[in-house]
Amino acid sequence: MNIDSLFPDETTGELLARASSHYTPSYRQQPIFLTRGEGVWVWDRNGNRYLDMVAGIAVNSLGHAHPRLVQAIREQSEKIIHCSSLYHNEPALALMDRLTDVSFADRVFFGNSGAEANEAALKLARRYQKTVARQPDKTDFLSFNNSFHGRTYATVTATGQPKYHEGFEPMMPGFRYADFGDLASVERAFEQAEGRIGAVLVEPIQCEGGLFLPPKGFLPALRKLCTRHGALLIFDEVQTGIGRTGEWFAYEIEAVTPDIMTLAKGLGGGVPIGAMLCSDEVAFGFGPATHASTFGGNPLATRAALEVMRTIADDGLLDHAFEVGEYLGQGLQALVDKHPGKCVETRGVGLLRGLELVADERNLGATIVPECRDQGLLTNAIAGKVLRFVPPLIVEKGHVDAALEILDRVIAEA
Ligand code: PLP
């Protein structure tokens, strides 16, 4: 029995059975309870240790139990955790300062998740077109096939993957879709919309859809098209932002400036927070009491995010993420070369990497993920067949070697 547990007298099997009886059946969870972590390592309640290449889905940017983050959260919780947006708080202001310092943005709205940040962006874009740009007919949104933007009604409608819409129809009106990376398809959508597109929402790198980078030049061309048509350009950097690619934001890679950007995941290092950033002009689509969030910008979450950003800057984690990411990319390429019957290719940048597996009746993703876990490596499969590697930004080359060794063995046996 596990004495450092809320359930010291129950076996893991018993807890799993209770979970499966009483949670809504929304997830296919792996059958382990994670109880603690340190750096890139996590432990389950049975004492097994895992190398964490998932990082809570690109969230634990400083790894687990980072001393600076722990101390910041502890100190802040002793001062004030929540006060609502009826009042100002200093951590939110300091975080806003940081975010506007390192990005194109002049203004920030805080929420609690990626979907909420995207909701805020879509609402702001529509209201900006009506009240500031005085283009009231520009009510439509254009997003991309194979994208992922969240699970609220607007964001799941923007998500260009029918499997996420199934059973939830009717979806929200006013959404159109083009093909990611295909400028002609975007031009066609603008033509068909006859001036009604008010904003284009795009992930600069498609993440959940299977890790696809756009062809070089696509994002700059999209920027030009949006400007020509009077549409706002919204970058969903929920997964790509805050150092994941080796830059603060993926928009820097091709120097394309959006009008609005959304963040979440890595920003709080594990403490839930989302943010929508925009230019001064666009921000005035909102006025007092037009959009709000009870928990948004609370001092605990913003203090945590501030410490994440300070640590990334102080410890040179952007360059580090790029360098270790290149090393990881080379290692994954070596696996592709070594196992051509099982691996197709590797894609990604920085510490945002995917390994596409051959899709056939072997269902390799569903076999390799649990086998890696049993051998002490956490990874996950997106789009059914792409193993995703989004480790903490503090990961070292030695950890990458250890992960690749397990992966090599598991792929060989799969
Ligand atoms: N946008 C992107 C690009 C994402 O990858 C995700 C989550 O995976 C979201 C939005 C939704 O974020 P959340 O789950 O925090 O609502």
Side-chain angles (χ1 to χ4, degrees):
M1 294 300 150
N2 183 343
I3 46 167
D4 182 24
S5 164
L6 291 174
F7 307 100
D9 301 325
E10 288 174 271
T11 65
T12 297
E14 285 164 343
L15 300 187
L16 290 172
R18 202 150 77 249
S20 114
S21 308
H22 295 290
Y23 285 132
T24 60
S26 317
Y27 296 109
R28 255 184 249 117
Q29 284 167 302
Q30 303 206 28
I32 54 177
F33 281 83
L34 296 182
T35 52
R36 71 185 177 92
E38 196 182 314
V40 297
W41 300 97
V42 288
W43 283 262
D44 70 16
R45 78 188 294 273
N46 299 326
N48 300 308
R49 188 179 81 151
Y50 306 88
L51 183 50
D52 187 5
M53 299 297 269
V54 176
I57 318 185
V59 166
N60 303 102
S61 28
L62 302 184
H64 300 274
H66 191 289
R68 282 185 63 168
L69 184 56
V70 169
Q71 191 183 347
I73 293 170
R74 182 185 299 131
E75 286 177 6
Q76 187 58 47
S77 70
E78 287 168 354
K79 290 181 188 162
I80 186 166
I81 292 176
H82 176 78
C83 61
S84 89
S85 303
L86 295 174
Y87 314 98
H88 283 285
N89 76 74
E90 290 191 359
L93 193 78
L95 179 61
M96 177 275 288
D97 278 345
R98 278 259 159 178
L99 285 169
T100 52
D101 274 355
V102 300
S103 75
F104 71 92
D106 306 306
R107 292 182 182 257
V108 181
F109 175 88
F110 290 118
N112 309 287
S113 68
E116 274 179 79
N118 284 333
E119 278 284 336
L122 294 169
K123 287 182 73 180
L124 176 64
R126 214 173 242 177
R127 214 163 180 284
Y128 163 83
Q129 293 291 12
K130 278 197 177 65
T131 63
V132 179
R134 307 257 174 228
Q135 306 184 109
D137 294 337
K138 289 196 176 297
T139 53
D140 283 9
F141 299 112
L142 181 70
S143 62
F144 290 87
N145 293 317
N146 200 45
S147 60
F148 187 85
H149 298 293
R151 305 289 196 140
T152 61
Y153 254 109
T155 60
V156 80
T157 303
T159 293
Q161 300 194 58
K163 69 176 180 193
Y164 293 111
H165 297 179
E166 256 168 46
F168 293 110
E169 302 89 347
M171 307 311 288
M172 277 191 59
F175 284 80
R176 298 165 179 273
Y177 309 90
D179 292 331
F180 186 66
D182 178 352
L183 205 62
S185 148
V186 180
E187 281 172 339
R188 261 195 317 277
F190 269 110
E191 247 163 60
Q192 284 163 1
E194 298 177 332
R196 286 197 299 279
I197 293 176
V200 173
L201 173 62
V202 66
E203 296 163 89
I205 297 170
Q206 284 195 333
C207 295
E208 297 298 309
L211 261 180
F212 293 102
L213 282 77
K216 201 165 173 336
F218 174 70
L219 295 173
L222 190 61
R223 171 70 274 179
K224 282 201 186 114
L225 264 182
C226 285
T227 305
R228 173 141 61 84
H229 289 278
L232 296 178
L233 179 60
I234 307 170
F235 273 8
D236 177 345
E237 295 234 23
V238 165
Q239 193 155 160
T240 53
I242 308 296
R244 179 80 13 220
T245 64
E247 305 279 357
W248 277 114
F249 310 107
Y251 77 77
E252 296 171 76
I253 296 172
E254 284 195 81
V256 179
T257 308
D259 301 294
I260 302 177
M261 168 171 72
T262 54
L263 302 172
K265 288 193 183 284
L267 178 57
V271 177
I273 184 169
M276 183 208 56
L277 288 73
C278 60
S279 64
D280 217 11
E281 188 201 343
V282 172
F284 282 92
F286 281 165
T290 50
H291 189 63
S293 161
T294 296
F295 296 118
N298 73 76
L300 186 73
T302 49
R303 181 66 188 84
L306 178 66
E307 204 58 29
V308 167
M309 292 192 73
R310 283 179 174 171
T311 307
I312 289 174
D314 292 349
D315 294 357
L317 290 181
L318 297 180
D319 288 345
H320 178 81
F322 187 80
E323 191 190 325
V324 181
E326 288 287 297
Y327 186 73
L328 172 59
Q330 287 159 14
L332 292 172
Q333 185 57 51
L335 291 183
V336 173
D337 297 339
K338 187 170 170 191
H339 304 284
K342 292 173 183 163
C343 303
V344 178
E345 63 172 3
T346 178
R347 301 185 285 268
V349 57
L351 288 171
L352 180 61
R353 299 272 165 183
L355 174 64
E356 182 170 338
L357 302 166
V358 172
D360 58 20
E361 65 291 345
R362 291 173 295 177
N363 202 357
L364 288 170
T367 331
I368 288 174
V369 169
E371 192 52 42
C372 280
R373 183 195 67 229
D374 289 348
Q375 298 205 24
L377 171 66
L378 298 186
T379 172
N380 85 318
I382 45 179
K385 57 174 184 184
V386 181
L387 296 179
R388 167 169 52 188
F389 302 89
V390 281
L393 306 186
I394 56 158
V395 69
E396 298 288 347
K397 288 180 181 171
H399 302 127
V400 170
D401 289 337
L404 291 169
E405 200 185 306
I406 296 174
L407 201 56
D408 182 25
R409 204 163 54 233
V410 171
I411 293 174
E413 288 163 5

